């Protein structure tokens, strides 16, 4: 039987001094109340209630157990009320992992919006272009551009798919010309992201045609923001996810190169430890992030 229900039944019996009244207050039959009491006494190995045909009273052991059981129930109810309140007014610290580019461009707006709604939550952003172990580093969630997690204890929620694009500044293209075919990249200056999979090889696809090009950059860096600065300054052609360079494209600071050819796309996911019940602050932040992507139609924009 449920130990919590046993305590509730016993405390109600002690307060009502009657099995019948205890059953009425708990919407339980007298026989049900009696079964819970008998099971509790059997489990503890002591008689808690002295019963007769006319009255019911607690034994000395029952009196002692009643005092402790009442306190336990009171603490449990307080704890439940506190947690329930926290679901609508969450508190505590939220550790979020993401790349520097994603943090600057897409995470900070969500943090600002989230803090306006839930000011008692402290946000700690752990920014890195390498993937931290979520559990070992105490992250509540992380945004990744990979499809799966090696750790089966990590849950994934999809955010969006994004193209990887080649782009360069108008000044560079005016000076060096626009490549017409992937093989033309051999005659151009490239700016490459060294943490990408197969960073020194581009695998292009256009319809049924596939082309692989070995590449090397005049500038190679492990951060997308450095690469964007170099490309905007006219130093060469970069290869970056659309979510990083979309604003530069819209503003005309960068121009797409070989846009009719497609590089392998990236899937952006939210990864977080698998739990039966997530803390309210984690669940709400995930909802905020997913809603921002939905309203902004980012996947539609980034896959064009």
């Amino acid at each position: 039987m449920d130990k919590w229900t046993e305590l509730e039944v016993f405390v109600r019996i002690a307060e009502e001094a009657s099995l019948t009244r205890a059953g009425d207050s708990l919407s339980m039959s007298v026989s049900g109340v009696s079964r819970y009491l008998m099971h509790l006494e059997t489990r503890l190995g002591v008689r808690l209630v002295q019963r007769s045909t006319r009255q019911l009273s607690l034994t000395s052991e029952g009196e002692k157990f009643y005092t402790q059981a009442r306190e336990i129930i009171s603490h449990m109810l307080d704890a439940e009320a506190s947690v329930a309140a926290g679901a609508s007014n969450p508190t505590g610290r939220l550790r979020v992992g993401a790349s520097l580019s994603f943090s600057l461009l897409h995470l900070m707006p969500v943090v600002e919006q989230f803090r306006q709604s839930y000011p008692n939550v402290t946000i700690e952003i752990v920014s890195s272009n390498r993937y931290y172990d979520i559990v070992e580093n105490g992250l509540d969630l992380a945004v990744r551009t990979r499809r799966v997690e090696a750790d089966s204890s990590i849950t994934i929620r999809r955010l969006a798919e994004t193209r990887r694009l080649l782009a360069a500044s108008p000044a560079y293209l005016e000076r060096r010309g626009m490549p017409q075919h992937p093989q033309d990249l051999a005659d151009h200056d490239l700016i490459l992201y060294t943490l990408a999979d197969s960073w020194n090889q581009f695998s292009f696809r256009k319809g049924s045609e596939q082309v692989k090009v070995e590449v090397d950059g005049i500038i190679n860096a492990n951060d997308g923001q450095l690469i964007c600065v170099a490309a905007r300054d006219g130093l060469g052609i970069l290869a970056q996810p659309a979510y990083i360079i979309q604003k530069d494209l819209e503003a005309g600071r960068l121009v797409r190169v070989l846009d009719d050819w497609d590089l392998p796309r990236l899937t952006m996911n939210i990864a977080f430890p698998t739990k039966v019940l997530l803390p309210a602050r984690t669940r709400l932040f995930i909802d905020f992030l997913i809603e921002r992507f939905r309203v902004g139609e980012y996947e539609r924009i980034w896959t064009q």
Side-chain angles (χ1 to χ4, degrees):
M1 285 189 174
D2 178 23
K3 293 182 179 180
W4 174 251
T5 304
E6 287 178 355
L7 286 183
E8 285 188 304
V9 169
F10 170 69
V11 167
R12 197 58 59 88
I13 290 171
E15 292 174 344
E16 299 289 348
S18 165
L19 296 182
T20 301
R21 290 194 296 272
D24 290 341
S25 65
L26 293 169
S27 299
M28 187 182 296
S29 67
V30 175
S31 61
V33 169
S34 181
R35 281 197 304 272
Y36 273 106
L37 176 59
M38 290 176 61
H39 192 274
L40 177 60
E41 290 180 325
T42 300
R43 185 165 59 81
L44 296 179
V46 296
R47 182 173 290 278
L48 301 173
V49 176
Q50 190 66 45
R51 296 179 286 276
S52 69
T53 56
R54 293 189 175 182
Q55 62 180 9
L56 180 151
S57 61
L58 298 181
T59 64
S60 58
E61 292 83 4
E63 291 280 2
K64 181 178 180 180
F65 189 69
Y66 165 67
T67 300
Q68 296 174 335
R70 184 178 58 184
E71 290 181 2
I72 291 171
I73 290 176
S74 177
H75 289 318
M76 180 61 76
L77 293 175
D78 288 346
E80 289 178 346
S82 176
V83 170
S88 58
N89 185 26
T91 62
R93 183 181 66 168
L94 183 70
R95 282 171 57 85
V96 182
S99 69
L100 177 60
S101 292
F102 186 87
S103 298
L104 289 171
L105 298 172
H106 303 290
L107 191 57
M108 289 307 299
V110 176
V111 168
E112 180 181 0
Q113 181 185 12
F114 186 82
R115 285 275 303 153
Q116 289 175 356
S117 299
Y118 303 105
N120 294 324
V121 176
T122 300
I123 309 292
E124 180 178 343
I125 298 175
V126 181
S127 179
S128 174
N129 294 325
R130 292 191 179 275
Y131 293 144
Y132 282 125
D133 184 284
I134 291 177
V135 176
E136 287 186 2
N137 289 275
L139 299 178
D140 294 293
L141 62 103
V143 178
R144 321 275 217 185
T145 51
R146 60 182 180 185
R147 295 179 183 274
V148 297
E149 292 285 334
D151 188 346
S152 60
S153 69
I154 300 301
T155 296
I156 288 177
R157 289 191 65 179
R158 187 180 183 278
L159 268 179
E161 185 178 83
T162 178
R163 288 186 67 187
R164 291 174 62 216
L165 301 173
L166 299 184
S169 71
Y172 173 86
L173 294 174
E174 182 177 354
R175 186 172 75 250
R176 299 291 298 273
M178 174 71 77
Q180 301 301 312
H181 189 274
Q183 299 293 356
D184 294 343
L185 294 175
D187 299 323
H188 282 269
D189 296 333
L190 302 180
I191 308 167
L192 303 179
Y193 180 61
T194 58
L195 296 183
D197 292 338
S198 302
W199 66 272
N200 56 353
Q201 182 185 81
F202 290 155
S203 297
F204 290 96
R205 178 188 295 272
K206 181 168 71 169
S208 60
E209 187 178 359
Q210 298 184 49
V211 177
K212 287 189 177 182
V213 180
E214 300 292 332
V215 295
D216 193 11
I218 62 161
I219 299 175
N220 301 322
N222 64 355
D223 183 78
Q225 294 304 300
L226 295 176
I227 290 172
C228 288
V229 169
R232 289 195 297 265
D233 287 346
L235 300 183
I237 299 172
L238 59 68
Q240 283 285 278
Y243 80 86
I244 292 179
I245 63 172
Q246 186 63 37
K247 290 184 178 179
D248 286 324
L249 293 172
E250 292 172 354
R253 294 185 291 266
L254 294 176
V255 177
R256 295 189 186 208
V257 172
L258 297 173
D259 193 39
D260 53 342
W261 291 84
D262 213 15
L263 289 169
R265 300 187 177 193
L266 301 174
T267 300
M268 306 179 68
N269 294 310
I270 305 172
F272 52 93
T274 302
K275 296 179 181 178
V276 176
L277 291 175
L278 280 176
R281 58 184 176 273
T282 305
R283 174 176 49 78
L284 289 168
F285 192 85
I286 290 172
D287 291 344
F288 263 68
L289 195 53
I290 290 174
E291 180 65 9
R292 175 177 171 83
F293 272 57
R294 186 192 67 81
V295 172
E297 297 185 304
Y298 291 153
E299 181 168 60
R300 180 186 61 79
I301 295 170
W302 295 341
T303 54
Q304 290 178 346

